[in-house]
Amino acid sequence: MAIKSLSSTISAGKYKGKKILLPSLESTRSTKAILKGSLFDSLQYDIIDELFVEVFGGSGSMGLEALSRGAKHAYFIEKDRAAFQTLKSNCKAIDEEHTTPLEGDSFILFPTLLGKLTCKAYFYFDPPFSIREGMEDVYEKVMGLIASIPTDKAHWIVIEHMSTLVLPEAIGSYTLTKRKKFGKSSLSFYM
């Protein structure tokens, strides 16, 4: 029996309709189309000519959507080897020149990437849900990364998380501005 390859598509912008391959669901969790649509409805034209950083990149669907909608460059960090190969393939197929996929642990690579950014960026954190084995403290570690971002480096920080998790009103210098729930997943926006 043939294995069906999973894919999604870019929903708007210059790459609208282009296919994005998705890694195995054993290593990553794909973002729902409704959640992605809501995020980019919130960001609207703000991301035009801006940097977009997708931490825990998976397939790269959020950063590639940002590029399609006018971001000037997207950075991705992904630890899982198979997911990273899918991510690299997607970047090459969509816009290799304006993407930088980085393979490795987000908690190790993020501070280095942050130090290399020369202007403000939009940050999207989509860590593995803490119900996965070995991920019990993932949100505490993500909050540590967010608290480390200098305010002159971030426009907005968005976290995709389990809806059962209520994130704090403030993380470091950043304040929760809105929260949107989509079934089992939610988005929390910090500025």
Side-chain angles (χ1 to χ4, degrees), residues 28 53-58 75-80 83-84 87 101-115 123-128 135 138 141-146 148-149:
T28 65
V53 179
E54 187 175 355
V55 188
F56 310 98
Y75 295 88
F76 309 88
I77 303 173
E78 177 53 52
K79 180 180 181 177
D80 181 82
F84 182 74
L87 168 63
L102 303 167
E103 184 179 11
D105 187 324
S106 293
F107 299 108
I108 295 168
L109 292 182
F110 183 76
T112 305
L113 173 60
L114 193 58
F123 294 93
Y124 188 80
F125 288 83
D126 180 13
M135 293 294 157
V138 72
K141 290 165 75 178
V142 165
M143 287 187 255
L145 284 184
I146 291 168
S148 76
I149 302 172

Side-chain angles (χ1 to χ4, degrees), residues 54-190:
E54 187 175 355
V55 188
F56 310 98
S59 66
S61 68
M62 299 305 265
L64 293 169
E65 185 77 34
L67 271 183
S68 185
R69 292 172 183 247
K72 72 176 169 187
H73 200 90
Y75 295 88
F76 309 88
I77 303 173
E78 177 53 52
K79 180 180 181 177
D80 181 82
R81 176 155 287 156
F84 182 74
Q85 292 310 318
T86 302
L87 168 63
K88 261 183 26 179
S89 175
N90 286 335
C91 289
K92 189 173 185 172
I94 306 286
D95 188 344
E96 192 172 24
E97 185 184 346
H98 297 101
T99 54
T100 303
L102 303 167
E103 184 179 11
D105 187 324
S106 293
F107 299 108
I108 295 168
L109 292 182
F110 183 76
T112 305
L113 173 60
L114 193 58
K116 291 179 179 175
L117 297 179
T118 56
C119 57
K120 280 190 170 191
Y122 286 86
F123 294 93
Y124 188 80
F125 288 83
D126 180 13
F129 281 0
S130 60
I131 52 175
R132 281 195 29 208
E133 190 176 328
M135 293 294 157
E136 297 78 14
D137 64 347
V138 72
Y139 289 113
E140 288 81 7
K141 290 165 75 178
V142 165
M143 287 187 255
L145 284 184
I146 291 168
S148 76
I149 302 172
T151 53
D152 66 343
K153 293 267 174 111
H155 288 295
W156 268 16
I157 298 162
V158 182
I159 308 166
E160 183 178 336
H161 58 90
M162 299 181 306
S163 292
T164 55
L165 176 73
V166 178
L167 291 175
E169 292 298 313
I171 300 175
S173 304
Y174 300 98
T175 304
L176 181 69
T177 58
K178 68 178 158 180
R179 184 178 290 131
K180 291 183 166 193
K181 184 178 174 185
F182 307 88
K184 292 179 180 176
S185 296
S186 288
L187 291 178
S188 291
F189 295 74
Y190 287 83

